[in-house]
Amino acid sequence: MTFTIVFLIAFIASFGLRHWLSQRQIHHVAINRDVVPAEFASQITLAEHQKAADYTIAKLRLGIFENGVSAIILIAFTLLGGLQILNMGLLQLLGEGVAQQIALLVSIVLISGIIDLPFSWYKQFYLEERFGFNRMNAKLFFSDMFKGLGIGGAIGIPLLWVILSLMAQAGDFWWLWAWGVLTVFSLLMQWIFPTFIAPIFNKFQALEEGPLKTQIEALLSRCDFASQGLFVMDGSKRSAHGNAFFAGMGKAKRIVFFDTLIEKLNPGEVEAVLAHELGHYKCNHIRKRLLVSFALSFATFALLGWVSTQPWFYNDLGVMPNPNGYNGGLALALFMLVSPAFSFFLTPLSSLASRKHEYEADGFAADKSSATDLISALVKLYQDNASTLTPDPIYTAFYSSHPPAPLRIANLKRFKSES
Ligand SMILES: [Zn+2]
């Protein structure tokens, strides 16, 4: 019973906190809807500012509704016995063993996916559409979905089979082996994803010769950065939002620009955005993030290794463990369902670290490229993506991976006056 109460407290607190933060953000954006902040008044019109407010609020309202639905699903699976019924049904069908445990996890993923489907559909074809960001059609939506399912199954099921077999046969320290497998797997994915998976969804073309390419190559040599080529990705196939990113590790680093980014920004601004991304690399943010994620997954697996042997972990969450073995899938399922209610409270820590990294990368960009160009690129991106310029401070502190626009730009202006 004790753990039921602990779980319920974390569940209610995390649900309530999510809801409260969203309401705060809605309120803050709404009361600032009628005036463009002074520092942006020359570049952003009132109509654009109001569009950003409406878009932000529409996304938050959908998020509040989704938060409610996922709360119901979580309680239905655990305390109301959904997982128990599913486990019993699959035991009758398949008997005990790793296959049954895989089937249990796959069923949960499929059930959650089916429940999530109307939300993704609404988000793409109503919300994004209403604000002019959607570039997808139903055919692409479903082809993405089936490709995702196919690839997820082809990679995920063998991986699950390895982890569940370790759980069943590798003794008390199975979790250490499983952690090792997952760590090697995620390192491999850094190479597999850009090389084999991303091209299934998008086209990548070499950046054409011209002033932009010359400028980018000059920046790369200034930053002493060896890349495996510059590519443009057809992001406009799905959305009008723009972005730039890196792919790959070590010697296989590719630089990929969304076509939407190149359309919207001038070469100087593209260079400044890329300099910011290079800053993440040169300040070792990418390596740090990877190391932190390995450390966290180590702690998570150690915890899972312990709770999976405790009868209360199952009983207090509404399931009966199989008395003679093969509970790996059940433990994994419960853990995946329940742990977000606890780990949610760590969000502000990772947001804080991320915002610190953003400032550092901006500093790097100001040094190697131009603060002025980065500022004008950011303003254009805020404008084009209808991102709010007036977020609630507490919401930002909790969730935001990037500093709010006014602070970020004020920080860049500091570099401008120094140089
Ligand atoms: Zn960044």
Side-chain angles (χ1 to χ4, degrees):
M1 265 314 273
T2 320
F3 190 62
T4 312
I5 294 165
V6 171
F7 165 62
L8 274 175
I9 291 172
F11 163 73
I12 292 166
S14 62
F15 172 82
L17 184 56
R18 263 199 195 94
H19 186 84
W20 179 74
L21 286 167
S22 299
Q23 293 289 7
R24 272 194 73 98
Q25 173 82 331
I26 289 177
H27 178 72
H28 203 268
V29 170
I31 56 169
N32 288 293
R33 187 178 178 276
D34 292 325
V35 184
V36 184
E39 62 265 52
F40 298 99
S42 62
Q43 299 119 303
I44 289 178
T45 65
L46 182 62
E48 285 167 339
H49 177 67
Q50 291 182 330
K51 177 187 170 185
D54 297 341
Y55 179 55
T56 306
I57 292 172
K59 280 193 296 185
L60 287 159
R61 292 228 165 97
L62 181 63
I64 286 178
F65 187 53
E66 276 185 290
N67 184 28
V69 173
S70 24
I72 295 169
I73 294 169
L74 174 55
I75 294 300
F77 264 129
T78 54
L79 301 182
L80 295 179
L83 197 57
Q84 172 69 7
I85 294 169
L86 199 59
N87 190 40
M88 289 325 240
L90 288 170
L91 270 175
Q92 278 186 346
L93 207 66
L94 300 168
E96 241 185 280
V98 170
Q100 186 266 347
Q101 299 282 288
I102 290 177
L104 179 68
L105 287 159
V106 170
S107 317
I108 295 168
V109 170
L110 289 179
I111 292 169
S112 319
I114 291 167
I115 297 170
D116 184 56
L117 193 61
F119 289 101
S120 316
W121 182 273
Y122 177 84
K123 182 156 194 281
Q124 195 66 34
F125 296 109
Y126 289 84
L127 205 156
E128 294 286 303
E129 179 75 38
R130 175 148 53 98
F131 292 93
F133 293 126
N134 176 38
R135 299 264 176 94
M136 251 191 177
N137 54 29
K139 194 181 149 211
L140 183 59
F141 182 88
F142 284 110
S143 98
D144 276 0
M145 191 177 90
F146 288 115
K147 279 181 194 170
L149 269 176
I151 295 164
I155 295 176
I157 291 175
L159 187 66
L160 265 182
W161 183 81
V162 171
I163 289 179
L164 290 170
S165 305
L166 285 169
M167 283 177 107
Q169 279 150 21
D172 288 347
F173 284 98
W174 69 264
W175 58 270
L176 203 56
W177 291 102
W179 175 74
V181 167
L182 207 70
T183 302
V184 171
F185 168 77
S186 60
L187 284 172
L188 269 176
M189 277 307 276
Q190 303 271 339
W191 164 70
I192 292 173
F193 184 82
T195 322
F196 298 106
I197 298 178
I200 299 175
F201 293 93
N202 284 94
K203 276 201 195 74
F204 293 82
Q205 280 178 320
L207 181 65
E208 30 180 273
E209 298 295 329
L212 178 62
K213 191 171 177 189
T214 316
Q215 202 168 341
I216 298 288
E217 278 169 346
L219 172 74
L220 293 177
S221 74
R222 224 164 37 242
C223 300
D224 197 21
F225 186 90
S227 94
Q228 284 282 88
L230 304 165
F231 295 87
V232 179
M233 190 189 99
D234 58 345
S236 58
K237 193 172 154 189
R238 296 189 176 79
S239 161
H241 295 300
N243 215 336
F245 65 93
F246 270 130
M249 277 183 71
K251 296 236 180 299
K253 294 181 295 280
R254 291 177 176 189
I255 292 168
V256 178
F257 298 101
F258 277 42
D259 53 356
T260 37
L261 188 86
I262 291 178
E263 264 164 46
K264 282 166 195 167
L265 304 183
N266 68 40
E269 293 163 344
V270 174
E271 183 206 289
V273 169
L274 178 61
H276 169 96
E277 297 301 328
L278 292 173
H280 281 309
Y281 186 83
K282 286 285 174 182
C283 305
N284 284 325
H285 298 159
I286 294 167
R287 193 172 303 165
K288 280 182 202 160
R289 251 174 257 170
L290 208 61
L291 287 176
V292 168
S293 82
F294 291 157
L296 280 176
S297 70
F298 181 86
T300 306
F301 267 107
L303 186 62
L304 177 60
W306 175 61
V307 294
S308 65
T309 60
Q310 308 298 311
W312 52 260
F313 179 63
Y314 304 88
N315 296 326
D316 288 4
L317 291 172
V319 287
M320 298 252 293
N322 307 336
N324 35 354
Y326 293 118
N327 288 309
L330 203 55
L332 222 53
L334 273 180
F335 198 82
M336 285 188 315
L337 287 166
V338 167
S339 61
F342 296 92
S343 62
F344 176 66
F345 297 98
L346 298 175
T347 315
L349 286 180
S350 88
S351 304
L352 185 68
S354 169
R355 289 196 301 273
K356 183 173 162 273
H357 288 172
E358 291 307 321
Y359 281 128
E360 287 173 12
D362 279 351
F364 182 89
D367 181 34
K368 299 287 179 185
S369 178
S370 143
T372 313
D373 279 338
L374 188 53
I375 292 173
S376 72
L378 285 174
V379 173
K380 278 191 192 171
L381 290 173
Y382 281 112
Q383 193 174 26
D384 268 334
N385 291 331
S387 310
T388 180
L389 299 169
T390 57
D392 173 59
I394 297 179
Y395 183 92
T396 303
F398 200 93
Y399 283 118
S400 294
S401 60
H402 288 65
L407 293 185
R408 199 170 166 193
I409 287 169
N411 175 63
L412 277 165
K413 281 188 176 147
R414 211 163 44 82
F415 288 106
K416 209 167 110 180
S417 55
E418 273 169 18
S419 59

